Coordinates of all heavy atoms in Angstrom, one line a residue:
M1 N 7.7 -83.7 -6.6 CA 6.9 -84.2 -7.6 C 5.5 -83.6 -7.4 O 4.9 -83.2 -8.4 CB 6.8 -85.7 -7.5 CG 5.9 -86.3 -8.5 SD 6.7 -86.1 -10.1 CE 5.9 -87.4 -11.0
Y2 N 5.0 -83.5 -6.2 CA 3.7 -82.9 -6.0 C 3.7 -81.4 -6.5 O 2.7 -81.0 -7.0 CB 3.3 -82.9 -4.5 CG 2.1 -82.2 -4.1 CD1 0.8 -82.7 -4.5 CD2 2.2 -81.0 -3.5 CE1 -0.3 -82.0 -4.2 CE2 1.0 -80.3 -3.2 CZ -0.2 -80.8 -3.5 OH -1.4 -80.1 -3.2
R3 N 4.7 -80.7 -6.2 CA 4.8 -79.3 -6.6 C 4.7 -79.1 -8.1 O 4.1 -78.2 -8.6 CB 6.1 -78.7 -6.1 CG 6.2 -77.2 -6.3 CD 7.5 -76.7 -5.7 NE 7.9 -75.5 -6.4 CZ 9.1 -75.1 -6.5 NH1 10.1 -75.8 -5.8 NH2 9.5 -74.1 -7.2
I4 N 5.4 -80.0 -8.9 CA 5.4 -80.0 -10.3 C 4.0 -80.2 -10.8 O 3.5 -79.5 -11.7 CB 6.4 -81.0 -10.9 CG1 7.8 -80.6 -10.6 CG2 6.2 -81.1 -12.4 CD1 8.8 -81.6 -10.9
L5 N 3.3 -81.2 -10.3 CA 1.9 -81.5 -10.7 C 1.0 -80.4 -10.4 O 0.1 -80.0 -11.1 CB 1.4 -82.8 -10.1 CG 2.1 -84.1 -10.6 CD1 1.6 -85.3 -9.8 CD2 1.8 -84.3 -12.1
R6 N 1.2 -79.8 -9.2 CA 0.3 -78.6 -8.8 C 0.5 -77.5 -9.8 O -0.5 -76.8 -10.2 CB 0.7 -78.2 -7.4 CG -0.3 -77.2 -6.9 CD 0.2 -76.6 -5.5 NE 1.4 -75.9 -5.7 CZ 2.4 -75.8 -4.9 NH1 2.3 -76.4 -3.7 NH2 3.5 -75.2 -5.1
D7 N 1.8 -77.2 -10.2 CA 2.0 -76.1 -11.1 C 1.4 -76.4 -12.5 O 1.0 -75.4 -13.1 CB 3.5 -75.8 -11.2 CG 4.1 -75.2 -9.9 OD1 3.3 -74.7 -9.1 OD2 5.3 -75.3 -9.8
L8 N 1.5 -77.6 -12.9 CA 0.9 -78.0 -14.2 C -0.6 -77.9 -14.3 O -1.2 -77.5 -15.3 CB 1.4 -79.4 -14.6 CG 2.8 -79.5 -15.0 CD1 3.2 -81.0 -15.3 CD2 3.2 -78.7 -16.2
T9 N -1.3 -78.2 -13.2 CA -2.7 -78.2 -13.2 C -3.3 -76.9 -12.7 O -4.5 -76.7 -12.9 CB -3.2 -79.3 -12.3 OG1 -2.7 -79.1 -11.0 CG2 -2.8 -80.7 -12.8
R10 N -2.5 -76.0 -12.2 CA -3.0 -74.7 -11.8 C -3.5 -73.8 -13.0 O -2.9 -73.8 -14.0 CB -1.9 -74.0 -11.0 CG -2.4 -72.7 -10.3 CD -1.3 -72.0 -9.5 NE -0.1 -71.9 -10.4 CZ 1.1 -71.6 -10.0 NH1 1.3 -71.3 -8.7 NH2 2.1 -71.4 -10.8
Q11 N -4.5 -73.1 -12.8 CA -5.0 -72.2 -13.8 C -4.0 -71.0 -14.0 O -3.5 -70.5 -13.1 CB -6.4 -71.6 -13.5 CG -7.5 -72.5 -13.6 CD -7.8 -72.8 -15.1 OE1 -7.4 -72.1 -16.0 NE2 -8.5 -73.9 -15.3
P12 N -3.7 -70.7 -15.3 CA -2.8 -69.6 -15.5 C -3.4 -68.2 -15.1 O -4.7 -68.1 -15.1 CB -2.5 -69.6 -17.0 CG -3.7 -70.3 -17.6 CD -4.1 -71.3 -16.5
A13 N -2.6 -67.3 -14.9 CA -3.1 -65.9 -14.4 C -3.9 -65.3 -15.6 O -4.9 -64.7 -15.3 CB -1.9 -65.0 -14.1
A14 N -3.5 -65.4 -16.8 CA -4.1 -64.8 -17.9 C -4.0 -65.8 -19.1 O -3.0 -66.4 -19.3 CB -3.5 -63.5 -18.2
K15 N -5.0 -65.8 -19.9 CA -5.0 -66.6 -21.2 C -4.4 -65.8 -22.3 O -4.8 -64.6 -22.5 CB -6.3 -67.1 -21.5 CG -6.9 -68.0 -20.4 CD -8.0 -68.9 -21.0 CE -8.6 -69.7 -19.9 NZ -8.0 -70.9 -19.6
N16 N -3.4 -66.2 -23.0 CA -2.7 -65.5 -24.0 C -2.7 -66.2 -25.4 O -2.0 -65.8 -26.3 CB -1.3 -65.1 -23.6 CG -0.4 -66.3 -23.5 OD1 -0.8 -67.4 -23.6 ND2 0.9 -66.0 -23.2
V17 N -3.6 -67.2 -25.5 CA -3.7 -67.9 -26.7 C -5.2 -67.7 -27.2 O -6.1 -68.0 -26.5 CB -3.4 -69.4 -26.5 CG1 -3.6 -70.2 -27.8 CG2 -2.0 -69.6 -26.0
S18 N -5.3 -67.3 -28.5 CA -6.7 -67.1 -29.0 C -7.4 -68.4 -29.2 O -6.7 -69.5 -29.3 CB -6.6 -66.3 -30.3 OG -6.0 -67.0 -31.3
S19 N -8.7 -68.4 -29.4 CA -9.4 -69.6 -29.6 C -9.0 -70.3 -30.9 O -8.9 -71.6 -30.9 CB -10.9 -69.4 -29.6 OG -11.3 -68.5 -30.6
T20 N -8.7 -69.6 -32.0 CA -8.3 -70.2 -33.2 C -6.9 -70.9 -33.0 O -6.7 -72.0 -33.4 CB -8.2 -69.2 -34.3 OG1 -9.4 -68.5 -34.5 CG2 -7.8 -69.8 -35.6
E21 N -6.1 -70.2 -32.3 CA -4.7 -70.7 -32.0 C -4.8 -72.0 -31.1 O -4.0 -72.9 -31.3 CB -3.9 -69.6 -31.4 CG -2.4 -69.8 -31.4 CD -1.7 -68.6 -30.8 OE1 -2.3 -67.6 -30.6 OE2 -0.5 -68.8 -30.6
K22 N -5.8 -72.0 -30.2 CA -6.0 -73.1 -29.3 C -6.3 -74.4 -30.2 O -5.8 -75.4 -30.0 CB -7.1 -72.8 -28.3 CG -6.7 -71.9 -27.2 CD -7.8 -71.5 -26.4 CE -8.4 -72.7 -25.6 NZ -9.4 -72.2 -24.6
W23 N -7.3 -74.2 -31.1 CA -7.8 -75.4 -31.9 C -6.7 -75.9 -32.8 O -6.6 -77.1 -33.0 CB -9.0 -75.0 -32.6 CG -10.2 -75.0 -31.7 CD1 -10.9 -73.8 -31.3 CD2 -10.8 -76.0 -31.0 NE1 -11.9 -74.2 -30.4 CE2 -11.8 -75.5 -30.2 CE3 -10.6 -77.4 -30.9 CZ2 -12.6 -76.3 -29.4 CZ3 -11.4 -78.2 -30.1 CH2 -12.4 -77.7 -29.4
I24 N -5.9 -74.9 -33.4 CA -4.8 -75.3 -34.3 C -3.8 -76.1 -33.5 O -3.2 -77.1 -33.9 CB -4.2 -74.1 -35.0 CG1 -5.2 -73.6 -36.0 CG2 -2.9 -74.5 -35.7 CD1 -4.9 -72.3 -36.6
S25 N -3.5 -75.6 -32.3 CA -2.5 -76.3 -31.4 C -3.0 -77.7 -31.0 O -2.2 -78.6 -31.1 CB -2.3 -75.4 -30.2 OG -1.2 -75.9 -29.4
I26 N -4.2 -77.8 -30.6 CA -4.7 -79.1 -30.3 C -4.7 -80.1 -31.5 O -4.3 -81.2 -31.3 CB -6.2 -79.0 -29.7 CG1 -6.1 -78.3 -28.3 CG2 -6.8 -80.3 -29.5 CD1 -7.4 -77.9 -27.7
G27 N -5.2 -79.6 -32.6 CA -5.2 -80.4 -33.8 C -3.8 -80.9 -34.2 O -3.6 -82.1 -34.5
G28 N -2.9 -79.9 -34.3 CA -1.5 -80.3 -34.7 C -0.9 -81.2 -33.7 O -0.1 -82.1 -34.0
G29 N -1.2 -81.0 -32.4 CA -0.6 -81.9 -31.4 C -1.1 -83.3 -31.5 O -0.4 -84.3 -31.4
L30 N -2.4 -83.4 -31.8 CA -3.0 -84.8 -32.0 C -2.4 -85.4 -33.2 O -2.2 -86.7 -33.2 CB -4.5 -84.7 -32.1 CG -5.3 -84.3 -30.8 CD1 -6.7 -84.1 -31.1 CD2 -5.0 -85.4 -29.7
L31 N -2.2 -84.7 -34.3 CA -1.5 -85.3 -35.5 C -0.1 -85.7 -35.1 O 0.3 -86.8 -35.6 CB -1.4 -84.2 -36.6 CG -2.8 -84.0 -37.3 CD1 -2.6 -82.8 -38.3 CD2 -3.2 -85.2 -38.0
L32 N 0.6 -85.0 -34.3 CA 2.0 -85.4 -34.0 C 2.0 -86.6 -33.1 O 2.8 -87.5 -33.2 CB 2.7 -84.2 -33.2 CG 3.3 -83.1 -34.1 CD1 3.8 -82.0 -33.3 CD2 4.4 -83.7 -35.0
I33 N 1.0 -86.7 -32.2 CA 0.9 -87.9 -31.3 C 0.6 -89.1 -32.2 O 1.2 -90.2 -32.0 CB -0.2 -87.7 -30.2 CG1 0.3 -86.6 -29.2 CG2 -0.5 -89.0 -29.5 CD1 -0.7 -86.2 -28.2
G34 N -0.3 -88.9 -33.1 CA -0.7 -90.1 -34.0 C 0.5 -90.5 -34.8 O 0.8 -91.7 -35.0
K35 N 1.3 -89.5 -35.3 CA 2.5 -89.8 -36.1 C 3.5 -90.5 -35.2 O 4.2 -91.5 -35.6 CB 3.1 -88.5 -36.6 CG 4.2 -88.7 -37.6 CD 4.6 -87.3 -38.2 CE 5.8 -87.5 -39.1 NZ 6.2 -86.2 -39.6
G36 N 3.6 -90.1 -34.0 CA 4.6 -90.7 -33.0 C 4.2 -92.1 -32.7 O 5.1 -93.0 -32.5
L37 N 2.9 -92.4 -32.6 CA 2.5 -93.8 -32.3 C 2.7 -94.7 -33.5 O 2.9 -95.9 -33.3 CB 1.0 -93.8 -31.9 CG 0.7 -93.1 -30.6 CD1 -0.8 -93.0 -30.3 CD2 1.4 -93.8 -29.4
A38 N 2.7 -94.2 -34.7 CA 2.8 -95.0 -35.9 C 4.3 -95.2 -36.3 O 4.6 -96.1 -37.1 CB 2.1 -94.4 -37.0
R39 N 5.2 -94.4 -35.8 CA 6.6 -94.5 -36.3 C 7.5 -95.1 -35.2 O 7.5 -94.6 -34.1 CB 7.0 -93.0 -36.6 CG 8.5 -93.0 -37.0 CD 8.8 -91.6 -37.4 NE 8.1 -91.3 -38.6 CZ 8.5 -90.2 -39.4 NH1 9.4 -89.4 -39.0 NH2 7.8 -90.0 -40.5
P40 N 8.3 -96.0 -35.6 CA 9.3 -96.6 -34.6 C 10.6 -95.7 -34.6 O 10.8 -94.9 -35.4 CB 9.6 -97.9 -35.2 CG 9.4 -97.8 -36.6 CD 8.3 -96.8 -36.8
G41 N 11.3 -95.9 -33.5 CA 12.6 -95.2 -33.5 C 12.6 -94.0 -32.6 O 11.6 -93.7 -31.9
P42 N 13.7 -93.2 -32.6 CA 13.8 -92.1 -31.7 C 12.9 -90.9 -32.0 O 12.5 -90.1 -31.2 CB 15.3 -91.6 -31.8 CG 15.8 -92.3 -33.1 CD 15.0 -93.5 -33.3
M43 N 12.5 -90.8 -33.3 CA 11.6 -89.7 -33.7 C 10.2 -89.9 -33.1 O 9.5 -89.0 -32.9 CB 11.5 -89.7 -35.2 CG 12.7 -89.1 -35.9 SD 13.0 -87.4 -35.4 CE 11.7 -86.5 -36.0
R44 N 9.9 -91.2 -32.7 CA 8.7 -91.5 -32.1 C 8.5 -90.7 -30.8 O 7.5 -90.0 -30.5 CB 8.6 -93.0 -31.8 CG 7.4 -93.4 -31.0 CD 7.4 -94.8 -30.6 NE 6.2 -95.2 -30.0 CZ 5.6 -96.3 -30.2 NH1 6.1 -97.3 -30.9 NH2 4.4 -96.6 -29.6
L45 N 9.6 -90.7 -30.0 CA 9.5 -90.0 -28.7 C 9.4 -88.5 -28.9 O 8.7 -87.8 -28.1 CB 10.7 -90.4 -27.8 CG 10.8 -91.8 -27.4 CD1 12.1 -92.1 -26.6 CD2 9.6 -92.2 -26.5
I46 N 10.2 -88.0 -29.9 CA 10.1 -86.6 -30.1 C 8.7 -86.1 -30.6 O 8.2 -85.1 -30.1 CB 11.2 -86.2 -31.2 CG1 12.6 -86.4 -30.6 CG2 11.0 -84.8 -31.7 CD1 13.7 -86.3 -31.6
N47 N 8.1 -86.9 -31.5 CA 6.8 -86.6 -32.0 C 5.8 -86.6 -30.8 O 4.9 -85.8 -30.7 CB 6.4 -87.5 -33.1 CG 7.0 -87.1 -34.4 OD1 7.4 -86.0 -34.6 ND2 7.2 -88.1 -35.2
L48 N 5.9 -87.6 -30.0 CA 5.0 -87.8 -28.9 C 5.1 -86.6 -27.9 O 4.1 -86.0 -27.4 CB 5.2 -89.1 -28.1 CG 4.7 -90.3 -28.9 CD1 5.2 -91.6 -28.1 CD2 3.2 -90.3 -29.0
A49 N 6.4 -86.2 -27.6 CA 6.6 -85.1 -26.6 C 6.1 -83.8 -27.2 O 5.4 -83.0 -26.5 CB 8.1 -85.0 -26.3
L50 N 6.4 -83.5 -28.4 CA 6.0 -82.2 -29.0 C 4.4 -82.2 -29.2 O 3.8 -81.2 -29.0 CB 6.6 -82.0 -30.4 CG 8.1 -81.7 -30.4 CD1 8.7 -81.7 -31.8 CD2 8.4 -80.4 -29.7
G51 N 3.8 -83.3 -29.5 CA 2.4 -83.4 -29.7 C 1.7 -83.2 -28.3 O 0.7 -82.4 -28.2
A52 N 2.2 -83.8 -27.3 CA 1.6 -83.6 -25.9 C 1.8 -82.2 -25.5 O 0.8 -81.6 -24.9 CB 2.3 -84.6 -25.0
A53 N 2.9 -81.6 -25.8 CA 3.1 -80.2 -25.4 C 2.1 -79.3 -26.1 O 1.6 -78.3 -25.5 CB 4.5 -79.8 -25.6
A54 N 1.9 -79.5 -27.4 CA 1.0 -78.7 -28.2 C -0.4 -78.9 -27.7 O -1.2 -77.9 -27.6 CB 1.1 -79.0 -29.6
V55 N -0.9 -80.1 -27.4 CA -2.2 -80.3 -26.9 C -2.4 -79.7 -25.5 O -3.4 -79.0 -25.3 CB -2.5 -81.8 -26.8 CG1 -3.8 -82.1 -26.0 CG2 -2.6 -82.4 -28.2
Y56 N -1.4 -79.8 -24.7 CA -1.5 -79.1 -23.3 C -1.6 -77.6 -23.5 O -2.4 -77.0 -22.8 CB -0.2 -79.5 -22.5 CG -0.2 -78.9 -21.2 CD1 -1.0 -79.4 -20.2 CD2 0.7 -77.9 -20.9 CE1 -1.0 -78.9 -18.9 CE2 0.7 -77.3 -19.6 CZ -0.1 -77.8 -18.6 OH -0.1 -77.3 -17.4
R57 N -0.8 -77.0 -24.4 CA -0.8 -75.6 -24.6 C -2.2 -75.1 -25.1 O -2.8 -74.2 -24.6 CB 0.2 -75.2 -25.6 CG 0.2 -73.8 -26.0 CD 1.3 -73.6 -27.2 NE 1.3 -72.2 -27.6 CZ 0.6 -71.7 -28.6 NH1 -0.2 -72.4 -29.3 NH2 0.8 -70.4 -28.9
G58 N -2.8 -75.9 -26.0 CA -4.1 -75.5 -26.5 C -5.2 -75.7 -25.5 O -6.1 -74.9 -25.4
A59 N -5.1 -76.8 -24.8 CA -6.1 -77.1 -23.7 C -6.1 -76.0 -22.6 O -7.1 -75.6 -22.1 CB -6.0 -78.5 -23.2
R60 N -4.9 -75.6 -22.3 CA -4.7 -74.7 -21.1 C -5.0 -73.2 -21.6 O -5.5 -72.4 -20.8 CB -3.3 -74.8 -20.6 CG -3.1 -74.1 -19.3 CD -2.2 -74.8 -18.4 NE -2.2 -74.1 -17.1 CZ -1.1 -73.9 -16.4 NH1 0.0 -74.3 -16.9 NH2 -1.2 -73.3 -15.3
G61 N -4.7 -72.9 -22.8 CA -4.9 -71.5 -23.3 C -3.9 -70.6 -22.9 O -4.1 -69.4 -22.9
Y62 N -2.7 -71.1 -22.5 CA -1.6 -70.2 -22.0 C -0.3 -70.8 -22.5 O -0.1 -72.0 -22.5 CB -1.6 -70.1 -20.5 CG -0.5 -69.3 -19.9 CD1 -0.5 -67.9 -20.0 CD2 0.7 -69.9 -19.4 CE1 0.5 -67.2 -19.5 CE2 1.7 -69.2 -18.9 CZ 1.6 -67.8 -19.0 OH 2.7 -67.0 -18.5
S63 N 0.5 -69.9 -23.0 CA 1.8 -70.2 -23.5 C 2.9 -69.4 -22.8 O 3.0 -68.2 -23.1 CB 1.9 -70.1 -25.0 OG 3.2 -70.3 -25.4
P64 N 3.7 -69.9 -21.9 CA 4.8 -69.1 -21.3 C 5.8 -68.6 -22.3 O 6.3 -67.5 -22.1 CB 5.4 -70.1 -20.3 CG 4.9 -71.4 -20.6 CD 3.7 -71.3 -21.5
T65 N 6.0 -69.3 -23.4 CA 6.9 -68.9 -24.4 C 6.4 -67.6 -25.1 O 7.1 -66.6 -25.3 CB 7.2 -69.9 -25.5 OG1 7.6 -71.1 -24.8 CG2 8.2 -69.5 -26.5
K66 N 5.1 -67.6 -25.4 CA 4.5 -66.4 -26.0 C 4.5 -65.2 -25.0 O 4.8 -64.1 -25.5 CB 3.0 -66.8 -26.4 CG 2.4 -65.7 -27.2 CD 1.0 -66.2 -27.7 CE 0.4 -65.3 -28.6 NZ -0.9 -65.7 -29.2
Q67 N 4.3 -65.5 -23.8 CA 4.4 -64.4 -22.8 C 5.8 -63.8 -22.7 O 6.0 -62.6 -22.6 CB 4.0 -65.0 -21.4 CG 3.8 -63.9 -20.3 CD 2.7 -63.0 -20.6 OE1 1.7 -63.4 -21.2 NE2 2.8 -61.8 -20.1
R68 N 6.8 -64.7 -22.7 CA 8.2 -64.2 -22.7 C 8.5 -63.4 -23.9 O 9.2 -62.3 -23.8 CB 9.1 -65.4 -22.5 CG 10.5 -65.1 -22.5 CD 11.0 -64.5 -21.2 NE 12.4 -64.3 -21.3 CZ 13.0 -63.2 -20.8 NH1 12.3 -62.3 -20.1 NH2 14.3 -63.1 -20.9
L69 N 8.1 -63.8 -25.1 CA 8.3 -63.1 -26.3 C 7.7 -61.7 -26.3 O 8.3 -60.7 -26.8 CB 7.9 -63.9 -27.5 CG 8.7 -65.0 -28.0 CD1 8.0 -65.8 -29.1 CD2 10.1 -64.6 -28.4
R70 N 6.5 -61.6 -25.7 CA 5.8 -60.3 -25.6 C 6.6 -59.4 -24.7 O 6.8 -58.2 -25.0 CB 4.4 -60.5 -25.0 CG 3.4 -61.0 -26.0 CD 2.1 -61.0 -25.4 NE 1.1 -61.5 -26.4 CZ -0.1 -61.8 -26.1 NH1 -0.6 -61.7 -24.9 NH2 -0.9 -62.3 -27.0
R71 N 7.2 -59.9 -23.6 CA 8.0 -59.1 -22.7 C 9.3 -58.6 -23.4 O 9.6 -57.4 -23.3 CB 8.4 -59.8 -21.5 CG 7.3 -59.9 -20.5 CD 7.8 -60.4 -19.1 NE 6.8 -61.2 -18.5 CZ 7.0 -62.4 -18.0 NH1 8.2 -62.9 -17.9 NH2 6.0 -63.0 -17.4
V72 N 9.9 -59.4 -24.2 CA 11.1 -59.1 -24.9 C 10.9 -58.0 -25.9 O 11.6 -57.0 -26.0 CB 11.8 -60.3 -25.5 CG1 12.9 -59.9 -26.4 CG2 12.3 -61.2 -24.4
R73 N 9.8 -58.2 -26.7 CA 9.4 -57.2 -27.7 C 9.0 -55.9 -27.1 O 9.4 -54.8 -27.6 CB 8.2 -57.7 -28.5 CG 8.6 -58.8 -29.4 CD 7.5 -59.3 -30.2 NE 7.8 -60.4 -31.1 CZ 7.0 -61.4 -31.5 NH1 5.8 -61.3 -31.1 NH2 7.5 -62.4 -32.2
A74 N 8.4 -55.9 -25.9 CA 8.0 -54.7 -25.3 C 9.2 -53.9 -24.8 O 9.3 -52.7 -24.8 CB 7.1 -54.9 -24.1
Q75 N 10.3 -54.6 -24.3 CA 11.5 -54.0 -23.9 C 12.2 -53.4 -25.1 O 12.9 -52.3 -24.9 CB 12.4 -55.0 -23.2 CG 11.9 -55.4 -21.8 CD 12.7 -56.5 -21.2 OE1 13.6 -57.1 -21.8 NE2 12.4 -56.9 -20.0
R76 N 12.2 -54.0 -26.2 CA 12.8 -53.4 -27.4 C 12.2 -52.2 -27.9 O 12.8 -51.2 -28.3 CB 12.8 -54.4 -28.6 CG 13.7 -55.5 -28.5 CD 13.7 -56.3 -29.7 NE 14.5 -57.6 -29.6 CZ 14.4 -58.5 -30.5 NH1 13.7 -58.4 -31.5 NH2 15.2 -59.6 -30.3
V77 N 10.8 -52.1 -27.8 CA 10.1 -51.0 -28.3 C 10.2 -49.8 -27.3 O 10.3 -48.7 -27.7 CB 8.6 -51.3 -28.5 CG1 7.8 -50.1 -28.8 CG2 8.5 -52.4 -29.5
T78 N 10.3 -50.1 -26.0 CA 10.4 -49.0 -25.0 C 11.8 -48.3 -25.2 O 12.8 -49.0 -25.1 CB 10.3 -49.6 -23.6 OG1 9.0 -50.3 -23.6 CG2 10.2 -48.5 -22.6
P79 N 11.8 -47.0 -25.4 CA 13.0 -46.3 -25.5 C 13.8 -46.2 -24.2 O 13.1 -46.2 -23.1 CB 12.7 -44.9 -26.1 CG 11.3 -44.8 -25.6 CD 10.6 -46.1 -25.6
A80 N 15.1 -46.1 -24.3 CA 15.9 -46.0 -23.1 C 15.7 -44.6 -22.5 O 15.4 -43.6 -23.2 CB 17.4 -46.2 -23.4
P81 N 15.8 -44.5 -21.2 CA 15.6 -43.1 -20.6 C 16.8 -42.2 -21.0 O 17.9 -42.7 -21.2 CB 15.7 -43.4 -19.1 CG 16.2 -44.8 -18.9 CD 16.0 -45.5 -20.2
P82 N 16.5 -40.9 -21.1 CA 17.5 -40.0 -21.6 C 18.6 -39.9 -20.5 O 18.4 -39.9 -19.3 CB 16.8 -38.7 -21.8 CG 15.5 -38.8 -21.0 CD 15.2 -40.3 -20.9
R83 N 19.8 -39.7 -21.0 CA 21.0 -39.5 -20.1 C 21.0 -38.0 -19.7 O 20.8 -37.1 -20.4 CB 22.3 -39.9 -20.8 CG 22.4 -41.3 -21.2 CD 23.7 -41.6 -21.8 NE 23.8 -43.0 -22.1 CZ 24.8 -43.6 -22.6 NH1 25.9 -42.8 -22.9 NH2 24.9 -44.9 -22.9
T84 N 21.5 -37.9 -18.4 CA 21.6 -36.5 -17.9 C 23.0 -36.2 -17.5 O 23.8 -37.1 -17.3 CB 20.7 -36.2 -16.7 OG1 20.9 -37.2 -15.8 CG2 19.3 -36.3 -17.2

C-alpha cells in the first residue's frame, strides 16, 4: 500500500499535458464528480471514478496513456531497417 501511494504522489519525469489541457481536464473531472454525487445507482461510482482520474491527471500534468500513445505512434512512423 505504501508503494502505491508513493508512486501516486511522486513527481512525473516529464509533463506531457499542456496548460489548456490541464484546465479542461480539471473542469471536466469536477463536472463528472458533481454529476456522480447527484446521481444514484451504479453510474454514480463510474462518474466519480472517471472524474477523480481526470482531476488527478490535470493536477499532475502527466498522462501515462498519452505517453504510451506517443511511443506507439513513433514506432509506426519509424521505418523498419532494410533487409540484407
Side-chain angles (χ1 to χ4, degrees):
M1 182 69 160
Y2 173 74
R3 185 173 152 208
I4 293 170
L5 289 174
R6 187 187 65 211
D7 290 343
L8 287 174
T9 57
R10 186 179 53 188
Q11 284 290 344
K15 299 201 183 274
N16 64 355
V17 177
S18 68
S19 63
T20 305
E21 197 174 350
K22 285 171 67 169
W23 286 110
I24 291 171
S25 187
I26 291 171
L30 290 174
L31 285 173
L32 281 171
I33 290 172
K35 189 175 178 183
L37 291 173
R39 177 178 289 196
M43 286 303 291
R44 174 185 188 144
L45 295 176
I46 293 171
N47 284 333
L48 288 173
L50 289 176
V55 169
Y56 180 74
R57 175 185 182 266
R60 190 146 188 221
Y62 178 76
S63 174
T65 305
K66 191 172 184 178
Q67 186 70 28
R68 177 74 177 142
L69 284 173
R70 282 184 180 171
R71 279 192 216 135
V72 168
R73 287 180 185 153
Q75 289 174 354
R76 284 186 188 170
V77 173
T78 307
R83 294 184 179 179
T84 56

